Amino acid sequence: MKNTPTVFTLSLNSSLDHTYYLKKIVFEDINRVQESRIDAGGKGINVGRMLRRLKTKTEVICFLGGATGEKIVSLLKKEQVQFTPIHTDGETRNIFNFVEKNTGRTLRINEKGPHISPREEKELFACLEELPITPRDIFVISGSLPPGLASDTYQRIIEKIKRKTTRIFLDTDGAPLKEGIKATPCMIKPNLWELERLAGEKIENLSKLQNVIQAILDKGISIIALTLGEKGALLFGENLLLYGKPPRVTPQSSIGCGDAFLSGFLSRHLLGKEYPDCLRYAIACGAAKAGKKGTLMPEKEEVEALLDKVEISSTLPPVLGKGK
């Protein structure tokens, strides 16, 4: 029997992230790249990469294919991230991020990803069946679904994994989120845009926010972490309301901040820490990531240097914000 619990992360639409820094993004003229970097990406992979830096035992399960998939394999090995690849005939997607150096504004261009065949879907579920997951382990589902997989795929995965552990966390958007919560994962982590899409309505004030949150909690979701970008994050649950305000950092890239946030929360939750501690660590991770270029994840020491600068309270912030 394993002595150390593990966080398993699922990345079904992995990516190779290309980040280009420019002085300014202009249209119908030449854009000159000042610097660039390439990282293994996809939300589930990012969570695994961050957990590895936080010294948390983790394993990433991911679809990978083609030359892009091979490059991701080499990058994950370089970062010493434990992973189980499921081969696809189609090429793993690329994501292109163009960042204005002076403003931090980002133009993101995402490929759709490979079409997943019925055979590859069957291999996925066979892999999940064989994973040595115990009730102490956490299972995280992050990111979008690639073409070929039905919108209820995450719902079916949650129902399967619940036979092994109920500690299931879902971070996705749109129809996969709507379908996924029907299987009642332990926690979801939307930003405000994603929450509005889930609710099917605009959330323009705190009263409306509380009504929407309560309706989701009533469906059996235990915890909702709502990320608000540079304004911080809110944590909701039964008799639980926490707001975390992040420290100021010099922003380099917002890409992956939500994944770093979730990783920080998971790393503390896995240790049985109280929710204020989990939220504080999560926000420190997100802030530390904001100060890194591309989807480069921060080191544990960089995160812990920010912990004392995170403010935790039990009141709603005066204004809403939208973020990762």
Side-chain angles (χ1 to χ4, degrees):
M1 182 176 177
K2 296 182 301 181
N3 293 322
T4 305
T6 302
V7 178
F8 292 88
T9 80
L10 186 65
S11 184
L12 297 188
N13 210 5
S14 307
S15 63
L16 190 62
D17 286 10
H18 307 257
T19 305
Y20 302 97
Y21 286 86
L22 310 92
K23 183 176 181 181
K24 184 179 181 180
I25 298 172
V26 295
F27 292 88
E28 313 228 2
D29 202 351
I30 296 172
N31 286 278
R32 302 192 183 278
V33 176
Q34 296 182 336
E35 60 178 300
S36 63
R37 63 174 294 112
I38 297 176
D39 298 288
K43 295 176 73 65
I45 283 181
N46 286 340
V47 171
R49 294 171 60 222
M50 186 68 213
L51 286 170
R52 173 70 179 82
R53 284 166 169 77
L54 297 177
K55 316 301 183 188
T56 299
K57 188 176 179 182
T58 185
E59 181 172 347
V60 178
I61 298 91
C62 49
F63 278 135
L64 294 176
T68 308
E70 291 177 4
K71 178 62 175 177
I72 292 173
V73 166
S74 67
L75 289 170
L76 291 177
K77 287 181 177 179
K78 185 176 180 180
E79 293 189 61
Q80 298 182 320
V81 177
Q82 182 71 30
F83 65 100
T84 297
I86 302 169
H87 175 77
T88 61
D89 292 335
E91 186 91 10
T92 299
R93 65 178 178 156
N94 290 279
I95 289 180
F96 303 94
N97 306 301
F98 301 89
V99 183
E100 288 185 342
K101 273 196 153 184
N102 294 336
T103 67
R105 291 194 310 167
T106 302
L107 173 65
R108 302 196 69 182
I109 300 175
N110 292 15
E111 293 180 344
K112 290 190 300 183
H115 187 278
I116 302 302
S117 68
R119 174 186 60 80
E120 291 161 351
E121 180 179 356
K122 186 176 180 180
E123 290 179 4
L124 164 66
F125 277 86
C127 174
L128 296 177
E129 186 67 40
E130 294 171 2
L131 289 175
I133 302 173
T134 74
R136 300 169 63 221
D137 296 328
I138 288 175
F139 191 86
V140 185
I141 302 170
S142 291
S144 61
L145 287 170
L149 294 181
S151 60
D152 69 347
T153 298
Y154 287 155
Q155 178 187 357
R156 291 185 288 122
I157 289 174
I158 292 169
E159 289 168 350
K160 175 177 281 291
I161 298 300
K162 270 190 170 182
R163 301 170 192 168
K164 300 184 178 187
T165 182
T166 59
R167 306 178 79 184
I168 302 171
F169 295 69
L170 179 63
D171 182 15
T172 188
D173 189 14
L177 178 57
K178 286 184 179 180
E179 296 297 320
I181 63 172
K182 293 177 181 177
T184 56
C186 175
M187 173 179 166
I188 60 172
K189 189 208 70 64
N191 59 35
L192 199 53
W193 284 298
E194 293 163 347
L195 187 64
E196 287 178 340
R197 285 190 281 270
L198 178 61
E201 58 183 318
K202 288 287 184 182
I203 301 173
E204 298 173 337
N205 55 63
L206 295 175
S207 176
K208 172 64 72 174
L209 172 63
Q210 288 179 298
N211 290 337
V212 168
I213 290 293
Q214 189 58 54
I216 298 172
L217 293 174
D218 289 344
K219 295 179 186 293
I221 308 298
S222 298
I223 299 294
I224 302 170
L226 178 66
T227 52
L228 303 171
E230 63 184 14
K231 291 183 174 66
L234 288 158
L235 199 65
F236 298 94
E238 185 178 358
N239 301 317
L240 174 68
L241 169 61
L242 292 173
Y243 169 61
K245 182 179 179 181
R248 289 186 176 274
V249 297
T250 302
Q252 295 288 339
S253 171
S254 64
I255 303 162
C257 289
D259 305 324
F261 171 96
L262 181 56
S263 303
F265 187 94
L266 293 169
S267 70
R268 306 305 285 174
H269 187 68
L270 194 69
L271 297 175
K273 300 298 182 180
E274 298 292 330
Y275 285 127
D277 181 86
C278 294
L279 181 60
R280 181 183 302 278
Y281 211 84
I283 288 177
C285 284
K289 166 62 201 77
K292 310 296 285 188
K293 293 180 178 178
T295 49
L296 178 65
M297 292 293 164
E299 299 298 330
K300 185 177 183 180
E301 294 75 18
E302 295 175 290
V303 171
E304 294 183 347
L306 296 176
L307 284 175
D308 290 342
K309 300 177 182 179
V310 177
E311 299 177 21
I312 302 293
S313 68
S314 57
T315 57
L316 289 167
V319 294
L320 293 176
K322 295 189 176 183
K324 299 295 182 183

